[in-house]
Amino acid sequence: MRSCSRQIRNVQASQRPIISRWKLSLSQFPFRNASTFKVVSGLEKRISEIPIERFRNFCIVAHVDHGKSTLSDRLLELTGTIEPGGKKQVLDKLDVERERGITVKAQTVTMIYKYKGEDYLLHLVDTPGHVDFRAEVSRSYASCGGALLLVDASQGVQAQTVANFYQAFAQGLHLIPIINKIDLQSAEPQRALEQIEATFELDPETAVLCSARTGLHVENILPAVIKQVPAPVGDLSKPLRMLLVDSWYSTYKGVILLVRLFDGTIKAGDYVVSLVTGLKYRVGEVGIQYPDQTPQTILRAGQLGYVYFNPGMRRSHEAKVGDTYTTVGSENSVQLLPGFEEPKTMVFVAAFPTDQSEYGHLEDSIDQIVLNDRSVTLQKEYSEALGAGWRLGFLGTLHCSVFEDRLRQEHGASIIITPPTVPFKVIWADGKEEMIRNPANFPEMKFNSGNVAELQEPYVLITITLPEEHLGKTIELCEANRGEQKELTFFTATQVVLKYDLPLAHLVEDFFGKLKGITKGYATLDYEESAWRKSNIVKLQLLVNGEAVDAVARVVHTSQIERLGRQWVNKFKEHVDRQMFEVIIQAAAGRRIVARETIKPYRKDVTSKLHAADVSRRRKLLENQKEGRKKLKAVGNVSIETKAFQEFLAK
């Protein structure tokens, strides 16, 4: 026993130098995490020494493809936030954003810029520019003090530039004109400056002319931001007042909030409450985007950053864009920041898997995307023709298209999407109003004509900018789609701004595609909600042997029913197989049949063995065949494959 203990002590003694050597090597080894911690702590110390007077919060206002993402990359390189020549489009996180050159989710990045020997803390907010994401745009603008009005020197002012300018101007943002792409041979910077002065009444002397692609004169932008954009106002001693700008979902952390602090401070361990929902949370971590998530000890008034809770916020619908958060106990002393509104879904589609065996996979894919996009409404639906599916509501046609692209690209989903529809209002005879989002629920006028007092549809105010030579065809297109002209302005000798009130139902029917076609791609379009108007609308249905096909029903204006009905029956006939009995395809609007096509049955020649002179026998055989067809038609069901609906619904 004594010898065994002696052996153990010898082994332990022999291991001591090895352990000590291992400890020594640990202290000498340059761990990446250790160096990262030093960088983060050094960054936080540098930020803590910058007073709020040297904060600048700004965003970039631009039309699609005017170079917003490229300019953001140059500014990040200029401030040392990212390495030059690295990853492009840093702020575009989604594949669909990179492919289409659009911004879908608001992003923010923190930069530190040394100007005249002093550090300035700059927050750049990358905002969606399209009208479909107007709620996110307005909240992003509310978190900023100024904006860079970016205009392509070769294309000039376009529709989205105009719409976003007025929204930024309404928020009180200071606007700095930036003329981009001056290195192109087709660039006309002087024309762009004249347009800015004529359209927005901005001083061309304050404009910065640059090329984001080559980096030419980009270094002049940030000094202009520091001189012209006012510093944010906030009081560290007041209770927390924090605006929710946007949110996204993390599998491990739950919902992560992109926030802007107006008063007070926030740190991990604080308890906060939402002024809209009344729900309380414990803060798990706070930080900044530099350009990725970088944890911080504390966020102060004037800063933009991210916050997530512990335990995490698991339902994305709790994070309402535009909501105000404060510390628990300060609810009565802090008022809700102005401008909060629930997003309104205005375009609806039905979605079905091409194969019902893929229903579970598609459901999981839709749920994952909806977690990151709380503005999508989701309701389960069943179609006799297409099986189980969903009715999805979106903010607009682009929102719908982006959602479909993400399903196909990120999740490999195979899906059938019905043509987009818009909501309608039914005002009943007793004064009650009902919103109809599904055409299948639209009242049948042949049964309810006495109970319905009025039918209404939504209108939008569209703004089109285009070259003067395409004006005539564009007006014809708007008039053909029941548009009412509101304004026609020449803001240069060759550029026109055209404003029309247009039914939203016509806008979602590929109006923009038709506009691009007649103007050779030179026209740009933006729109905003206008009003609900009384309208003569009716439900158009497709009937197959007298039975309605629920997946194809639509609510349309009476002026469209003949054209659309004829188009439907001709197209559907191409995709339905012949049967052993006659198949009748009809388009019906209320009691009225507006179009019809017939698919003849397969027919056996029962008279082939008869003599040509045997007329009575011939007639008898044909009559018997005819009676047999009637019986078969009475008991037979038309077999229509899912592929036929998929081809019919495809554009």
Side-chain angles (χ1 to χ4, degrees):
M1 189 72 178
R2 202 175 293 142
S3 64
C4 285
S5 60
R6 200 165 34 243
Q7 288 176 0
I8 291 170
R9 281 195 298 271
N10 291 337
V11 169
Q12 289 175 341
S14 65
Q15 286 180 342
R16 277 191 198 111
I18 297 173
I19 294 170
S20 62
R21 283 198 304 272
W22 173 242
K23 286 181 178 176
L24 181 65
S25 63
L26 275 175
S27 62
Q28 291 175 342
F29 190 82
F31 267 108
R32 186 175 178 182
N33 286 344
S35 63
T36 303
F37 178 76
K38 289 177 184 176
V39 170
V40 170
S41 60
L43 171 68
E44 185 163 4
K45 183 180 178 183
R46 191 177 172 189
I47 290 174
S48 66
E49 294 172 351
I50 303 174
I52 193 171
E53 291 77 17
R54 295 208 300 272
F55 288 7
R56 297 292 184 271
N57 302 335
F58 68 101
C59 59
I60 303 176
V61 175
H63 189 78
V64 174
D65 203 31
H66 277 209
K68 182 168 68 168
S69 296
T70 308
L71 180 61
S72 300
D73 289 348
R74 295 293 87 76
L75 295 178
L76 293 175
E77 291 173 0
L78 190 65
T79 56
T81 311
I82 62 172
E83 293 294 327
K87 179 183 173 184
K88 295 182 179 179
Q89 293 178 274
V90 173
L91 298 182
D92 292 338
K93 308 289 186 185
L94 303 175
D95 291 338
V96 69
E97 290 181 319
R98 293 172 177 274
E99 287 181 8
R100 291 188 176 216
I102 59 174
T103 301
V104 175
K105 297 289 288 178
Q107 302 287 343
T108 182
V109 65
T110 298
M111 304 176 286
I112 299 178
Y113 181 66
K114 188 174 285 292
Y115 178 69
K116 292 185 177 179
E118 293 183 316
D119 282 343
Y120 283 80
L121 189 66
L122 310 178
H123 297 107
L124 170 61
V125 182
D126 187 24
T127 62
H130 198 272
V131 66
D132 285 6
F133 312 106
R134 195 173 289 277
E136 285 86 347
V137 174
S138 65
R139 295 306 89 217
S140 300
Y141 289 170
S143 65
C144 298
L148 305 180
L149 184 68
L150 188 65
V151 176
D152 187 332
S154 61
Q155 298 183 43
V157 172
Q158 295 188 287
Q160 211 167 289
T161 319
V162 177
N164 290 334
F165 164 80
Y166 285 118
Q167 196 169 359
F169 186 75
Q171 294 271 7
L173 300 191
H174 183 89
L175 292 148
I176 304 172
I178 307 292
I179 309 300
N180 191 24
K181 302 187 182 181
I182 61 171
D183 60 312
L184 297 180
Q185 289 185 351
S186 58
E188 297 180 60
Q190 192 57 42
R191 181 174 69 93
L193 287 171
E194 290 172 2
Q195 289 180 358
I196 285 175
E197 185 177 18
T199 310
F200 308 129
E201 298 181 356
L202 295 177
D203 185 3
E205 296 295 325
T206 62
V208 178
L209 278 64
C210 69
S211 169
R213 185 175 65 86
T214 63
L216 179 66
H217 301 325
V218 171
E219 68 277 2
N220 298 331
I221 294 176
L222 292 182
V225 169
I226 291 170
K227 291 175 186 175
Q228 299 183 42
V229 174
V233 178
D235 191 341
L236 300 178
S237 61
K238 287 185 177 180
L240 174 69
R241 195 162 58 122
M242 182 172 73
L243 173 71
L244 173 56
V245 178
D246 206 345
S247 66
W248 62 93
Y249 190 84
S250 165
T251 307
Y252 303 105
K253 299 176 181 178
V255 180
I256 300 176
L257 311 182
L258 182 65
V259 297
R260 154 77 153 92
L261 275 70
F262 282 85
D263 288 311
T265 60
I266 188 170
K267 60 184 183 299
D270 287 351
Y271 287 87
V272 299
V273 59
S274 161
L275 295 186
V276 172
T277 65
L279 298 173
K280 299 176 182 177
Y281 307 93
R282 181 182 179 274
V283 178
E285 181 179 290
V286 300
I288 58 173
Q289 301 283 118
Y290 189 75
D292 299 316
Q293 291 180 22
T294 306
Q296 301 281 285
T297 308
I298 192 169
L299 289 179
R300 297 180 286 152
Q303 279 190 273
L304 281 108
Y306 71 88
V307 174
Y308 71 81
F309 303 122
N310 186 16
M313 181 191 287
R314 290 294 165 187
R315 293 186 299 171
S316 59
H317 284 268
E318 294 177 19
K320 298 183 180 293
V321 172
D323 192 0
T324 304
Y325 288 79
T326 188
T327 46
V328 173
S330 303
E331 300 94 320
N332 297 329
S333 58
V334 173
Q335 291 186 345
L336 186 72
L337 288 162
F340 172 76
E341 59 178 340
E342 287 282 2
K344 289 182 281 188
T345 48
M346 293 301 291
V347 173
F348 297 86
V349 300
F352 303 91
T354 52
D355 185 347
Q356 282 295 311
S357 64
E358 296 290 320
Y359 181 87
H361 169 66
L362 184 58
E363 184 175 32
D364 291 341
S365 302
I366 289 174
D367 287 343
Q368 285 182 41
I369 297 180
V370 169
L371 281 173
N372 275 310
D373 193 350
R374 58 169 297 275
S375 55
V376 177
T377 60
L378 187 65
Q379 183 180 353
K380 291 191 175 180
E381 187 173 282
Y382 183 80
S383 164
E384 292 290 339
L386 298 173
W390 301 266
R391 178 151 291 271
L392 302 167
F394 299 98
L395 302 172
T397 49
L398 178 70
H399 189 203
C400 173
S401 178
V402 166
F403 188 90
E404 185 181 350
D405 284 353
R406 291 187 66 187
L407 271 179
R408 298 186 194 279
Q409 293 173 5
E410 298 176 19
H411 301 274
S414 183
I415 189 171
I416 299 173
I417 298 281
T418 62
T421 61
V422 301
F424 297 92
K425 272 185 187 176
V426 178
I427 301 177
W428 299 96
D430 59 3
K432 290 183 179 178
E433 291 187 8
E434 184 181 358
M435 189 79 75
I436 305 295
R437 294 180 172 85
N438 189 340
N441 300 331
F442 195 81
E444 295 282 356
M445 298 309 292
K446 58 184 177 183
F447 303 121
N448 294 294
S449 57
N451 299 327
V452 176
E454 190 175 296
L455 297 171
Q456 295 182 351
E457 66 175 327
Y459 272 67
V460 290
L461 177 65
I462 64 170
T463 303
I464 303 171
T465 62
L466 71 157
E468 185 268 338
E469 62 264 27
H470 302 297
L471 180 60
K473 290 182 179 179
T474 304
I475 289 176
E476 286 178 13
L477 176 67
C478 294
E479 298 289 343
N481 285 275
R482 298 193 290 129
E484 295 180 11
Q485 190 178 124
K486 294 296 178 183
E487 186 180 322
L488 195 158
T489 309
F490 283 81
F491 66 89
T492 68
T494 57
Q495 288 287 315
V496 184
V497 175
L498 193 61
K499 292 190 177 182
Y500 263 86
D501 265 349
L502 196 77
L504 180 59
H506 286 275
L507 185 69
V508 302
E509 284 185 1
D510 198 29
F511 179 86
F512 187 51
K514 296 172 186 173
L515 179 66
K516 283 285 187 183
I518 63 173
T519 61
K520 300 178 182 178
Y522 284 106
T524 59
L525 172 72
D526 194 82
Y527 68 93
E528 59 187 79
E529 293 176 32
S530 179
W532 289 83
R533 294 192 187 183
K534 182 180 179 181
S535 185
N536 194 8
I537 50 179
V538 66
K539 179 163 74 173
L540 185 64
Q541 297 184 92
L542 192 71
L543 308 180
V544 178
N545 280 0
E547 295 293 326
V549 181
D550 55 352
V552 188
R554 279 179 65 187
V555 178
V556 297
H557 192 263
T558 50
S559 62
Q560 293 180 280
I561 56 177
E562 279 84 3
R563 177 186 60 82
L564 205 55
R566 174 57 53 196
Q567 183 181 321
W568 277 10
V569 295
N570 288 337
K571 189 174 180 181
F572 200 68
K573 182 183 178 182
E574 297 173 6
H575 304 298
V576 177
D577 296 330
R578 289 177 72 185
Q579 311 286 326
M580 294 302 293
F581 49 88
E582 186 178 63
V583 178
I584 299 171
I585 302 171
Q586 298 168 309
R591 297 189 182 129
R592 182 180 162 210
I593 303 297
V594 296
R596 167 177 169 151
E597 285 288 341
T598 304
I599 300 176
K600 297 294 183 183
Y602 290 114
R603 182 182 176 190
K604 181 181 178 181
D605 188 4
V606 294
T607 63
S608 60
K609 296 181 181 179
L610 291 181
H611 190 273
D614 196 353
V615 177
S616 59
R617 178 66 178 162
R618 177 188 176 88
R619 188 180 294 117
K620 184 178 179 181
L621 286 172
L622 289 173
E623 288 295 328
N624 286 343
Q625 187 185 45
K626 191 175 180 181
E627 289 299 317
R629 294 291 178 199
K630 285 183 181 178
K631 290 180 182 178
L632 187 62
K633 185 177 178 181
V635 298
N637 292 319
V638 181
S639 176
I640 304 174
E641 296 181 3
T642 305
K643 186 180 178 183
F645 287 104
Q646 190 174 353
E647 291 171 347
F648 174 75
L649 294 171
K651 290 184 180 179

